[in-house]
Amino acid sequence: ADTIAPVASVSKTVAGLAALLVFSEFNVPKDTRIGDLLPQVPVRNHFGEPLRLIHLMEHTSGLQEVIYPWPKTPSAAYAPLGELLFNILPEQRVRWTPGLATTYSNYNYTLLMHVLERVTGESFDAVMQKRVLDPLNMRSTSFRIDRVDRGRLALGYHPGERMPLPHSDSFYRSSAGMYTTIADLAVGTDAGQIKT
């Protein structure tokens, strides 16, 4: 129960909770246009319906899944999300009218977390720590591998090989970068501990 492991896209569940808390705290409606919050957002949308916060949360944005190489250095992985979106990842294109259909995309939650940084004026890590991890006493959970106890970190292996896979942070910490334990996740499932 106390082994720390990367939980990949389960990260979105926790990031989504943080988003709901921030939207409530700062009175930001979920149908707010992304362009109103991020005027220079690197997304092309030629459809009549604007891209909205709810589209990112529901994976109905029409944005393509983005697979991009892992960063070469920890400083690149921990760069502000705005730097990632505007300087590293290529411009994205909305492929159909936002809200029309569901398609999974890690880019949705990367963009969503940058919105939270802009709304709060805080870093992604600060948003998560202050609004979710600390209130729920999730002491073994982090979105940064450099903040977890490596002595408790589970190892994965290549199929059919005995060499362990190295752990590394990705650009997509908000969508797939959480490290946690079963014990912390069990605490986090008690919805009565945090008010949205």
Side-chain angles (χ1 to χ4, degrees):
D2 292 322
T3 297
I4 298 171
V7 293
S9 289
V10 173
S11 309
K12 293 181 182 68
T13 305
V14 181
L17 173 59
L20 291 174
L21 292 168
V22 167
F23 296 159
S24 175
E25 178 182 345
F26 289 87
N27 195 28
V28 178
K30 291 188 286 295
D31 64 351
T32 299
R33 299 176 182 213
I34 299 299
D36 292 343
L37 297 170
L38 304 175
Q40 304 300 322
V41 64
V43 171
R44 284 184 291 134
N45 179 8
H46 299 297
F47 299 95
E49 172 64 23
L51 193 59
R52 302 176 187 276
L53 290 175
I54 193 65
H55 298 142
L56 300 179
M57 298 184 75
E58 294 179 338
H59 292 286
T60 59
S61 66
L63 290 168
Q64 178 74 38
E65 169 64 305
V66 178
I67 303 297
Y68 200 76
W70 261 210
K72 301 292 185 191
T73 64
S75 61
Y78 304 140
L81 290 172
E83 182 177 322
L84 164 66
L85 290 167
F86 291 93
N87 300 327
I88 299 174
L89 292 178
E91 181 184 66
Q92 299 303 302
R93 177 178 59 88
V94 174
R95 297 170 294 162
W96 51 73
T97 302
L100 181 67
T102 302
T103 184
Y104 190 85
S105 173
N106 284 305
Y107 192 89
N108 287 324
Y109 273 72
T110 302
L111 190 56
L112 179 67
M113 286 297 105
H114 181 49
V115 167
L116 298 192
E117 288 185 335
R118 290 293 297 271
V119 168
T120 64
E122 303 168 13
S123 70
F124 164 66
D125 294 301
V127 169
M128 299 308 303
Q129 203 68 43
K130 176 180 175 182
R131 291 170 179 82
V132 179
L133 304 183
D134 284 347
L136 291 178
N137 200 29
M138 296 174 74
R139 300 285 179 218
S140 297
T141 300
S142 180
F143 285 79
R144 295 178 58 139
I145 195 172
D146 66 343
R147 294 183 180 171
V148 300
D149 179 357
R150 286 195 179 245
R152 295 165 51 202
L153 194 56
L155 291 177
Y157 295 86
H158 285 285
E161 299 181 20
R162 296 181 187 224
M163 294 296 294
L165 291 165
H167 287 285
S168 63
D169 278 310
S170 80
F171 291 123
Y172 312 111
R173 294 189 297 125
S174 54
S175 57
M178 188 170 77
Y179 291 87
T180 191
T181 66
I182 294 297
D184 271 16
L185 284 178
V187 168
T189 58
D190 184 352
Q193 293 189 47
I194 200 163
K195 303 226 185 293
T196 57

